[in-house]
Amino acid sequence: MCNKFLSLITSLALVLTLAVSGCENDAKSGALLGAVVGAGVGQLAGGDTKATMIGAGIGAGAGYMIGNEKDKKKAQQQQQLQQQQQQRVQQQPVSPQVQP
């Protein structure tokens, strides 16, 4: 029983690693990671398919929400950086071009 469980966890970890590397944003990665972790927790807690599916659903939802907030924060930071760069450009004095 222990060897089957260890093999399952190892397989899930490998699949998760490959799948998350292909996700284009944190929301999708979070949903995938949450689903896998939730399924594992559900299986350990309930020991049946229903508990596994409930755990996967709750985990996917929670992971998506956390990942989505990370995406929002990254977008906000990017916007602030662009605004700062734009302000620096506007504040730099323009030196006259001297032609010989």
Side-chain angles (χ1 to χ4, degrees), residues 75-91:
Q76 183 181 23
Q77 289 173 342
Q78 183 67 27
Q79 185 179 17
Q80 288 174 348
L81 179 63
Q82 288 174 348
Q83 288 174 348
Q84 290 172 353
Q85 290 173 343
Q86 194 174 35
Q87 287 174 353
R88 284 188 202 130
V89 169
Q90 290 173 353
Q91 291 173 355

Side-chain angles (χ1 to χ4, degrees), residues 1-24:
M1 176 69 181
C2 186
N3 286 339
K4 285 184 180 181
F5 183 71
L6 185 59
S7 295
L8 176 66
I9 294 299
T10 304
S11 298
L12 286 175
L14 178 61
V15 168
L16 179 64
T17 301
L18 294 173
V20 169
S21 65
C23 291
E24 57 197 45

Side-chain angles (χ1 to χ4, degrees), residues 29-78:
S29 298
L32 182 61
L33 178 61
V36 172
V37 171
V41 170
Q43 180 62 33
L44 289 174
D48 61 0
T49 303
K50 183 178 179 182
T52 302
M53 296 305 289
I54 291 171
I58 292 171
Y64 178 82
M65 289 189 297
I66 292 169
N68 191 42
E69 289 302 313
K70 287 176 69 176
D71 286 336
K72 287 179 185 177
K73 187 173 183 176
K74 283 181 184 179
Q76 183 181 23
Q77 289 173 342
Q78 183 67 27

